[in-house]
Amino acid sequence: ARLIEQQLRNQRIPYVLSGGQSFFDKAEIRDLIAWLRLLANEDDDLAFIRAITTPRRGIGAATLEALGAYAGRRHISLFAATFEEGAAEQMNARQLAGVREFGDFINRLQYRAQREPAARVLEDLLGAIGYEAWLFDHFDTREAESKWSNVRDFVGWLSRKGDEDGKNLIELTQTIALMSMLDKEDPDFDGVQLATLHASKGDAQ
């Protein structure tokens, strides 16, 4: 289904998949999508939390709780809060240094993502966060290999699409509907419905 899903997303056609897990819903793909969402919109708090903790960058729950408390009082995003002077009153020096280093990293990637080929930025992103090594540290070899293969497929697809459409990584993230499509339970859903062979057996009987 992966190839079909990629083509549907290429054409921006809504779809749902029954009886199996969508390629784009796999944890490793959602991890990478979180990074891309954050590059496209630094005020996306959910993407911020997932990216800053996957892989972990020495930033734990206490740091995020403190940052969140400050951001909540100021009614700003977590990303914006990392650069405000007042954040120093909520976090210790080590915590503040950690989140600001992350924020600086995102700013550098954002700058590059608007100017360089998507393939180059994606490869550098994966290398900088050490995602492959993180997978092999947290999963058995077979599962890690499978997850990394999925990541490579995803990156390859995005890279090709960037070349074919002449779009940078920010533009790709904004236009190819990486986020979840319409809920399949929505009675007004107008799109393609995919089903795995396992799911379709019951209907055929």
Side-chain angles (χ1 to χ4, degrees):
R2 172 177 58 82
L3 295 176
I4 297 174
E5 286 190 75
Q6 289 175 350
Q7 287 303 313
L8 288 172
R9 289 188 182 230
N10 280 345
Q11 303 301 321
R12 304 183 69 183
I13 299 172
Y15 71 90
V16 292
L17 176 66
S18 302
Q21 184 184 37
S22 165
F23 175 76
F24 293 89
D25 282 338
K26 293 180 181 295
E28 58 274 18
I29 304 304
R30 291 174 68 87
D31 287 342
L32 193 50
I33 286 175
W35 284 90
L36 300 183
R37 284 170 49 191
L38 190 58
L39 292 182
N41 174 21
E42 64 269 17
D43 293 329
D44 186 331
D45 284 346
L46 292 178
F48 180 97
I49 293 171
R50 186 159 191 153
I52 204 171
T53 58
T54 313
R56 287 207 172 272
R57 308 172 65 86
I59 297 169
T63 299
L64 289 175
E65 185 177 346
L67 182 64
Y70 176 77
R73 288 201 305 273
R74 295 278 294 123
H75 302 291
I76 57 178
S77 68
L78 294 172
F79 184 86
T82 65
F83 296 105
E84 289 210 346
E85 290 300 322
E89 300 173 5
Q90 191 74 34
M91 293 180 283
N92 61 44
R94 183 182 59 80
Q95 291 175 320
L96 188 61
V99 296
R100 285 188 173 168
E101 180 183 352
F102 175 77
D104 288 339
F105 177 60
I106 294 299
N107 279 334
R108 291 194 300 271
L109 279 178
Q110 275 185 326
Y111 180 86
R112 293 185 56 197
Q114 297 175 65
R115 293 162 176 81
E116 300 179 21
R120 183 187 304 162
V121 180
L122 282 167
E123 292 297 341
D124 288 349
L125 167 62
L126 288 175
I129 67 176
Y131 194 74
E132 181 180 12
W134 180 82
L135 286 176
F136 280 88
D137 284 342
H138 288 77
F139 301 95
D140 63 57
T141 301
R142 192 172 205 173
E143 187 173 3
E145 288 176 345
S146 175
K147 288 177 175 292
W148 181 242
S149 176
N150 288 335
V151 169
R152 296 306 317 169
D153 283 345
F154 179 67
V155 168
W157 171 65
L158 266 186
S159 298
R160 289 190 300 274
K161 185 164 180 59
D163 290 340
E164 292 167 1
D165 296 354
K167 291 183 176 180
N168 62 42
L169 193 54
I170 299 294
E171 293 169 331
L172 285 174
T173 304
Q174 292 171 333
T175 60
I176 62 176
L178 288 173
M179 277 62 82
S180 298
M181 304 304 285
L182 295 172
D183 192 319
K184 64 182 177 183
E185 301 300 329
D186 186 343
D188 297 323
F189 175 75
D190 180 21
V192 176
Q193 296 198 23
L194 305 177
T196 63
L197 287 175
H198 176 77
S200 65
K201 285 181 181 177
D203 295 333
Q205 290 176 347

